[in-house]
Amino acid sequence: MDGGSKDSTLSILREYPHLIWISEKDEGHYHAMNKGIAKATGDLIVILNSDDCFLPEAFQTVIDAFQQHESWDALFGDTIYVDADNQEIYRRQEAVYDYDVLRFALDYICHHTLFVRPEVYARTGGYRHKEFLNSADFEFKLRLGKTGCKVGHVPKFLVNYRYHSFGQSVDLRVTRNMEKESMIIRREHGNPGGWLGKVLKICFKAKRQMQKLLIRGTCDLIPGSWKVRPHMRAKADFSSNSGVDKLSS
């Protein structure tokens, strides 16, 4: 799903005749995701942005996991953060899906690694693109827990997630807006905010690290946000049909 790009995107897409693609003006990247979900015909749906890539064996790893855990509605995996030159920034390993950690502490699930059965979208709905510019994927991850979906985790690296000067991820305006939207979403899921919310955040951040230590044998001595800090920009160079590129500094 392309939002009507005016660069060389379409010429590149035409080099791959097996791909099904649409290029037209949309209402932003979450709207594009919803359009893609509506077109998808497979047994599993995953959403990958154009600047990121799956690692070798990622699909086979996911297929094997779903075959071994037929009750799973979705799963996610681990992520390697890379820069514009494909040089590794850091690796992030997770342990389990925990609804409470998500709503009280932080979003630790990279949506590029989130594989979902189509019936889950049919049952719970798509991304709320008309309400959230930058955090509709976070809202969906929380909705999975709230609606009782079984979300598994595979302890394998599935995706290279790219941080570069033409992406939204490095834009500080975007990260600030994500924080605002995320708090609205957390309130929907019972986060009280205020001093109690701050206490809960500390507690559930600690719970996540304990889960990682017990299950994976490792924990984060240095936060990932510190590791990507040198790559962050006051304003990245990108365009958006939903106005993300017009956020105030």
Side-chain angles (χ1 to χ4, degrees), residues 102-207:
L102 286 170
R103 67 188 180 126
F104 292 129
L106 75 164
D107 178 10
Y108 58 90
I109 298 174
C110 178
H111 84 262
H112 311 76
T113 74
L114 183 63
F115 289 74
V116 182
R117 295 189 189 274
E119 54 266 30
V120 173
Y121 284 111
R123 185 172 72 247
T124 66
Y127 295 93
R128 290 161 57 182
H129 69 279
K130 292 185 179 295
E131 299 171 69
F132 304 112
L133 287 177
N134 302 115
S135 300
D137 58 308
F138 176 51
E139 188 280 329
F140 177 74
K141 296 167 200 171
L142 278 168
R143 203 185 324 153
L144 290 174
K146 189 173 185 178
T147 56
C149 291
K150 293 184 178 180
V151 183
H153 173 262
V154 289
K156 300 286 186 180
F157 292 104
L158 302 181
V159 166
N160 276 350
Y161 181 19
R162 198 176 309 278
Y163 265 56
H164 60 97
S165 60
F166 296 98
Q168 293 188 29
S169 299
V170 304
D171 195 309
L172 291 172
R173 299 171 304 164
V174 171
T175 57
R176 284 192 293 268
N177 192 57
M178 287 176 67
E179 290 174 3
K180 294 177 184 177
E181 291 184 349
S182 294
M183 195 62 244
I184 294 172
I185 294 165
R186 288 191 172 96
R187 289 290 183 90
E188 292 182 0
H189 289 265
N191 189 314
W195 69 267
L196 180 55
K198 292 178 180 178
V199 172
L200 289 169
K201 184 174 184 178
I202 294 171
C203 293
F204 282 94
K205 276 190 171 184
K207 180 184 180 184

Side-chain angles (χ1 to χ4, degrees), residues 14 16 25 38 49 55 59 69-70 77 79 97 100 112 119 133 137 151 156 159 179 184 197 199 225 232 234 236:
R14 292 188 181 102
Y16 300 90
K25 188 174 178 61
N49 294 339
L55 294 170
F59 289 167
H69 304 277
E70 295 182 357
T79 308
Y97 176 92
D100 288 335
H112 311 76
E119 54 266 30
L133 287 177
D137 58 308
V151 183
K156 300 286 186 180
V159 166
E179 290 174 3
I184 294 172
V199 172
S225 58
M232 302 304 292

Side-chain angles (χ1 to χ4, degrees), residues 165 170-173 232-238 245 247 249:
S165 60
V170 304
D171 195 309
L172 291 172
R173 299 171 304 164
M232 302 304 292
R233 303 287 182 270
K235 182 179 180 181
D237 187 12
F238 65 89
D245 54 336
L247 288 170
S249 300

Side-chain angles (χ1 to χ4, degrees), residues 37-55:
I37 291 166
K39 292 284 186 181
T41 59
D43 295 324
L44 299 169
I45 295 175
V46 63
I47 298 167
L48 186 74
N49 294 339
S50 60
D51 50 355
D52 306 312
C53 64
F54 291 113
L55 294 170

